[in-house]
């Protein structure tokens, strides 16, 4: 046997050569591996003793597709490219059998499609998820798959990007045999590779013509009518992303001669590679992987055991946080100060689970199993065995102090103590304990059982193993974790304050809430700032502004939002805020009372309103986000620009197809962002925060970008 690191292992079993892909963790098809496959194939073809070839991977992965480490590098397009490797397999004069275990996705499945035969474990996962990166399969997947399973099933698989277990293809030309189960005409017994070797020897002995996917015809009754239906359906569902509709066109080309369809696929693939939407999705894909790598946190840092979690507060936030751990099978001790509040919180959790049950997402047994993991309590002493305690109490430092002093007294040594604060100083909170190394922020976003974002706030004394444990736990409860340093509002809410101030400034000079919300929602934001404010509660921002003014020892500068709060208009919960709301209806309705209060504010401050266009609204609000993001980067609050993008994509409704505020700034061009900010800063009475951040100016002047 010979082995090349990050390449292939080659061995001969009688008349069969076994080529094993060897590029951990998922056999990404990087240049070294592609070269290794071709070299091993040439070796097998040149050996007269070898009659057939088995291509296999590891138990974890046949191949997960392209090697993401090569994205955007010259190696990605260096020969042999994946299409070249597949052509070589397809042209082999000796039968090539793909033996598939684990994941076989994207380019990995296209590699297998280029083989003459495919055998698999029943649970092996087959899929073409390129659409999730704004692309389509670019190495023959849109041409070979329809020829093997039919036009409609192939189109569904490619447009959805969802993997399917190999056993679903039993009896089709996609999977010639399954290991260990008599579901198809051929059965492999025992070990996958041993069975594949036996299978390969059999097909070689038969001497029959090699079945190439390219030689088959696509089956689909009334193909033209089906494709037109698909175009209409996919087009309506996929805006603003172009890739799903282009997948339809590529699959439609499989009705043409193979080489012509292959050329269509390649042309469409290359065009999608240049789209901003694909750039955004690829950016997010890489950003999620980069976020787990925290500067100053060594790989392999030991983790603390989290077998039981404590949660303080059974309200909306505490209940949602609790559900995350119940869903992961982790017991929770849930504390409230009064029995009625505890009962109400438990009832809400049960109701949420029962709603999921009615939708078919949970069984009655699963509901009871999760509810059975809760230990309700009114006594802090119940946290004695908790490995992690998270407080979700009122956002006021005095309240936090009382909680953490109590926790310090009852929690066992080594327990992690976390605050769900969205603004307050974690270092100051840690100072209320005798164990600041065990304290950090775990900022969940509401509703906490739904929102994917978790801001992990690293205090000055937070121990490395506390941070590493929190990152691992976030993954366990299916959150996208981003590490933030300590500052007021951390990453997300600190930027949100600037975004909100920019929107408030537009109100002052001539816009109305519905126009600003409309312009930003058209840009792609899930919700405009004024609708968001009404949903969250205007009193929260009001309290924050008062706190900041008190801490600074200054008088609070009045804004229209304060006038609304003084009138008891806190948003949806009071039936009126920036908008008015009818009973039982969350739809925001423009309100003449709001418009009157705005007009009075302008008159009191001698402001003559002017006409404001949607483009200016988007520029001011989004560039305010970008500018504060640049300051956060420069201060080291965030480790990288892509971390900021993840925060805004997963916690604040920023449009996915734009990739986050920092990538959007790169797309627009940083010099243009700087010019616009300088224009806003030069206006009479402009706030100093409009001055472009020094990092932003440096990058723009150097012709560089955030990402």
């Amino acid at each position: 046997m010979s082995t090349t690191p990050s390449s292939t292992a080659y061995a001969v079993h009688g008349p069969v050569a076994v080529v094993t892909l060897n590029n951990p963790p998922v056999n990404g098809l990087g240049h070294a591996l592609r070269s290794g496959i071709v070299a091993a194939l040439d070796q097998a073809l040149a050996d007269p003793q070898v009659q057939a070839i088995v291509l296999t991977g590891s138990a974890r992965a046949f191949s997960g597709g392209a090697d993401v480490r090569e994205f955007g590098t010259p190696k990605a397009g260096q020969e042999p490219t994946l299409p070249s490797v597949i052509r070589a397999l397809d042209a082999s004069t000796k039968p090539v059998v793909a033996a598939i275990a684990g994941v076989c996705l994207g380019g990995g499945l296209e590699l297998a499609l280029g083989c003459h035969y495919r055998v698999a474990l029943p649970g092996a996962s087959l899929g073409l998820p390129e659409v999730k990166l704004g692309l389509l399969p670019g190495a023959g997947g849109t041409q070979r798959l329809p020829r093997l399973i039919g036009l409609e099933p192939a189109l569904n698989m490619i447009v959805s990007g969802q993997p399917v277990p190999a056993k679903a293809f039993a009896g089709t030309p996609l999977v010639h045999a399954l290991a260990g189960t008599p579901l198809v005409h051929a059965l492999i017994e025992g070990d996958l590779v041993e069975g594949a070797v036996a299978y390969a020897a059999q097909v070689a002995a038969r001497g029959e013509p090699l079945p190439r996917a390219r030689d088959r015809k696509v089956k689909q009754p009334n193909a033209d009518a089906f494709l037109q239906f698909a175009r209409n359906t996919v087009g309506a569902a996929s805006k603003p992303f172009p890739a799903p509709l282009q997948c339809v066109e590529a699959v439609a080309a499989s009705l043409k001669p193979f080489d012509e369809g292959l050329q269509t696929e390649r042309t469409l693939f290359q065009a999608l590679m240049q789209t901003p939407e694909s750039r955004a999705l690829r950016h997010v894909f890489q950003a999620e992987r980069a976020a787990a790598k925290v500067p100053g946190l060594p790989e392999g840092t030991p983790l603390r055991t989290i077998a039981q979690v404590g949660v303080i507060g059974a309200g909306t936030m505490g209940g949602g946080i609790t559900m995350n751990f119940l869903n992961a099978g982790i017991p929770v001790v849930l504390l409230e100060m009064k029995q009625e509040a505890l009962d109400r919180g438990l009832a809400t959790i049960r109701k949420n689970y029962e709603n999921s049950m009615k939708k078919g997402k949970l069984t009655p047994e699963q509901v009871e199993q999760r509810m059975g993991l809760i230990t309700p309590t009114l006594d802090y002493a119940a946290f004695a065995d908790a490995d992690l305690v998270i407080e979700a109490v009122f956002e006021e430092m005095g309240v936090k102090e009382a909680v953490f002093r109590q926790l310090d007294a009852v929690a066992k040594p080594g327990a992690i103590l976390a605050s769900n604060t969205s603004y307050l100083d974690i270092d100051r909170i840690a100072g209320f304990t005798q164990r600041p190394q065990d304290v950090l922020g775990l900022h969940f976003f509401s509703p906490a059982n739904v929102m994917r974002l978790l801001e992990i706030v690293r205090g000055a004394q937070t121990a490395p193993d506390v941070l590493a444990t929190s990152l691992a736990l976030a993954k366990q409860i299916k959150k996208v974790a981003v590490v933030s340093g300590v500052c007021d509002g951390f990453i997300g809410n600190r930027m949100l304050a600037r975004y909100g101030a920019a929107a408030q400034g537009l109100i002052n000079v001539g816009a109305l809430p519905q126009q600003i919300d409309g312009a930003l929602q058209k840009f792609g934001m899930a919700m405009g700032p004024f609708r968001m404010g009404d949903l969250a509660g205007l009193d929260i921002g009001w309290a924050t502004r008062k706190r900041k003014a008190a801490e600074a020892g200054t008088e609070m500068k009045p804004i229209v939002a304060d006038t609304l709060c003084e009138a008891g208009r806190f948003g949806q919960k009071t039936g009126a805020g920036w908008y008015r709301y009818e009973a039982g209806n969350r739809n925001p309705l423009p309100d003449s009372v709001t418009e009157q209060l705005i007009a009075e504010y302008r008159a009191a401050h001698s402001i003559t309103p002017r006409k404001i266009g949607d483009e200016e609204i988007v520029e001011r609000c989004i560039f305010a986000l970008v500018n504060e993001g640049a300051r956060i980067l420069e201060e080291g609050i965030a480790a990288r620009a892509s971390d900021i993008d993840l925060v805004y994509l997963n916690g604040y409704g920023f449009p996915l197809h734009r990739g986050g505020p920092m990538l959007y700034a790169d797309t627009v061009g940083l010099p243009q962002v700087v010019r616009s900010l300088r224009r806003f800063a030069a206006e009479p009475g402009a706030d100093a925060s409009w001055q472009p951040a020094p990092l932003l100016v440096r990058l723009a002047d150097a012709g560089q970008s955030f990402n």
Side-chain angles (χ1 to χ4, degrees):
M1 179 186 288
S2 62
T3 302
T4 304
S6 295
S7 179
T8 58
Y10 184 94
V12 176
H13 299 250
V16 180
V18 176
V19 180
T20 304
L21 309 184
N22 179 30
N23 185 19
V26 294
N27 287 322
L29 292 163
H31 181 259
L33 182 53
R34 300 195 304 268
S35 299
I37 294 169
V38 172
L41 178 64
D42 289 344
Q43 184 177 345
L45 291 174
D47 185 346
Q49 301 303 312
V50 171
Q51 301 301 310
I53 302 152
V54 168
L55 185 67
T56 191
S58 66
R60 179 178 178 181
F62 175 79
S63 171
D67 192 331
V68 295
R69 292 169 292 195
E70 287 189 0
F71 276 11
T73 72
K75 281 189 175 182
Q78 194 173 333
E79 288 289 349
T81 62
L82 182 57
S84 299
V85 176
I86 292 170
R87 278 196 300 272
L89 293 170
D90 186 78
S92 170
T93 54
K94 299 177 182 180
V96 182
V97 179
I100 303 168
V103 297
C104 180
L105 302 176
L109 180 55
E110 290 180 298
L111 185 73
L113 296 177
C115 299
H116 307 119
Y117 300 92
R118 285 154 297 279
V119 299
L121 292 177
S125 187
L126 312 185
L128 293 169
E130 286 86 349
V131 71
K132 296 180 180 181
L133 297 181
L135 300 170
L136 53 78
T142 66
Q143 304 306 299
R144 288 186 173 89
L145 190 63
R147 286 171 162 81
L148 296 175
I149 64 173
L151 192 73
E152 184 172 355
L155 183 63
N156 289 341
M157 196 167 163
I158 291 168
V159 169
S160 73
Q162 294 301 315
V164 180
K167 64 184 178 183
F169 301 107
T172 73
L174 176 57
V175 178
H176 293 82
L178 289 173
T181 172
L183 292 178
V184 287
H185 58 85
L187 167 65
I188 293 175
E189 296 180 352
D191 177 80
L192 173 66
V193 175
E194 286 180 9
V197 167
Y199 184 86
Q202 290 171 16
V203 297
R206 290 201 296 266
E208 59 194 22
L210 298 178
R212 294 181 171 88
R214 63 176 294 145
D215 298 330
R216 299 179 63 89
K217 297 290 184 185
V218 177
K219 294 180 180 178
Q220 177 64 43
N222 304 312
D224 289 343
F226 166 72
L227 286 167
Q228 192 52 52
F229 170 77
R231 288 183 183 102
N232 294 341
T233 306
V234 172
S238 61
K239 292 175 182 177
F241 295 99
L245 202 51
Q246 296 297 66
C247 286
V248 177
E249 298 309 324
V251 171
S254 68
L255 297 168
K256 300 176 182 178
F258 182 81
D259 288 331
E260 189 179 336
L262 207 60
Q263 183 57 52
T264 298
E265 176 194 85
R266 199 67 195 161
T267 300
L268 293 172
F269 175 84
Q270 289 171 337
L272 285 171
M273 277 290 289
Q274 305 306 314
T275 62
E277 293 83 5
S278 178
R279 182 188 180 191
L281 291 173
R282 284 180 279 135
H283 168 72
V284 174
F285 179 83
Q286 291 174 296
E288 289 189 0
R289 281 143 189 82
K293 297 170 184 174
V294 180
L297 184 66
E299 280 191 42
T301 298
L303 305 181
R304 299 189 186 184
T305 300
I306 305 295
Q308 185 187 87
V309 172
V311 176
I312 303 173
T316 301
M317 184 57 76
I321 292 171
T322 296
M323 289 177 70
N324 285 292
F325 296 103
L326 304 181
N327 295 344
I330 300 173
V332 175
V333 177
L334 182 59
L335 171 78
E336 258 295 354
M337 295 297 99
K338 294 182 179 178
Q339 188 65 48
E340 61 183 88
L342 187 57
D343 292 342
R344 188 165 55 246
L346 291 169
T348 300
I349 293 171
R350 176 174 287 280
K351 183 180 177 183
N352 288 339
Y353 280 137
E354 288 176 348
N355 287 339
S356 293
M357 183 181 70
K358 289 173 186 174
K359 295 173 183 175
K361 295 178 181 178
L362 292 175
T363 64
E365 292 76 20
Q366 286 173 318
V367 171
E368 294 310 319
Q369 184 266 335
R370 293 180 192 196
M371 292 302 299
L373 290 172
I374 305 175
T375 301
T377 185
L378 301 175
D379 188 352
Y380 272 86
F383 291 140
D385 294 325
D387 302 296
L388 163 69
V389 183
I390 306 169
E391 64 78 13
V393 301
F394 187 67
E395 190 77 337
E396 199 274 317
M397 190 60 83
V399 178
K400 306 288 189 189
E401 178 177 358
V403 166
F404 275 83
R405 291 197 186 282
Q406 287 244 48
L407 284 179
D408 196 33
V410 301
K412 67 184 181 181
I416 298 172
L417 308 182
S419 174
N420 180 57
T421 179
S422 51
Y423 285 96
L424 301 178
D425 186 337
I426 290 295
D427 290 330
R428 191 174 164 199
I429 290 172
F432 300 139
T433 75
Q434 300 300 309
R435 49 174 106 182
Q437 72 280 0
D438 294 334
V439 178
L440 83 171
L442 293 179
H443 179 207
F444 290 80
F445 286 70
S446 186
N449 54 307
V450 175
M451 297 292 283
R452 293 182 71 212
L453 179 63
L454 176 62
E455 269 187 324
I456 299 180
V457 187
R458 181 185 198 173
Q461 296 186 63
T462 301
D465 63 339
V466 169
L467 186 60
T469 301
S470 299
L471 284 163
L473 188 62
K475 191 173 182 180
Q476 189 177 350
I477 62 174
K478 297 181 169 58
K479 296 296 183 189
V480 174
V482 175
V483 175
S484 171
V486 175
C487 66
D488 198 276
F490 317 127
I491 296 171
N493 282 339
R494 174 172 161 180
M495 290 171 65
L496 185 67
R498 283 298 310 132
Y499 176 73
Q504 182 67 52
L506 287 162
I507 289 283
N508 294 347
V509 297
L512 289 173
Q514 55 268 32
Q515 183 198 356
I516 296 168
D517 284 350
L520 288 161
Q521 287 161 199
K522 188 176 178 183
F523 171 79
M525 297 297 290
M527 192 177 289
F530 299 104
R531 284 186 62 195
M532 187 195 300
D534 275 3
L535 177 63
L538 301 184
D539 51 326
I540 296 173
W542 193 32
T544 300
R545 289 191 295 278
K546 287 190 282 190
R547 172 180 63 80
K548 285 184 175 181
E551 289 173 354
T554 60
E555 197 171 317
M556 193 166 77
K557 186 178 178 182
I559 58 174
V560 176
D562 298 334
T563 309
L564 293 171
C565 289
E566 287 162 2
R569 297 169 65 95
F570 297 153
Q572 288 189 16
K573 59 188 171 186
T574 58
W578 291 103
Y579 300 93
R580 65 180 178 86
Y581 300 87
E582 294 178 348
N585 192 336
R586 290 176 174 264
N587 292 332
L589 302 170
D591 193 351
S592 59
V593 174
T594 300
E595 293 181 19
Q596 180 61 33
L597 289 172
I598 291 170
E600 290 172 0
Y601 178 89
R602 290 171 183 162
H605 292 81
S606 303
I607 298 171
T608 303
R610 61 179 177 84
K611 187 174 182 180
I612 297 171
D614 287 1
E615 185 177 347
E616 181 183 350
I617 290 171
V618 170
E619 258 202 350
R620 284 181 180 269
C621 292
I622 303 302
F623 289 176
L625 276 180
V626 171
N627 203 27
E628 197 63 24
R631 292 192 176 96
I632 283 170
L633 268 180
E634 191 151 33
E635 293 170 21
I637 299 299
R640 53 187 74 85
S642 60
D643 285 359
I644 294 173
D645 286 335
L646 287 181
V647 167
Y648 263 78
L649 290 165
N650 292 287
Y652 295 86
F654 201 90
L656 179 60
H657 69 279
R658 299 192 188 276
M662 310 312 277
L663 184 74
Y664 176 71
D666 286 347
T667 305
V668 169
L670 300 192
Q672 181 176 327
V673 177
V674 169
R675 281 194 298 273
S676 296
L677 289 170
R678 282 175 171 156
R679 189 173 71 250
F680 301 149
E683 294 172 349
D687 190 280
S689 61
W690 283 116
Q691 289 294 339
L695 173 63
L696 180 53
V697 173
R698 288 199 305 274
L699 291 173
D701 288 347
Q704 296 177 330
S705 59
F706 287 119
N707 297 283

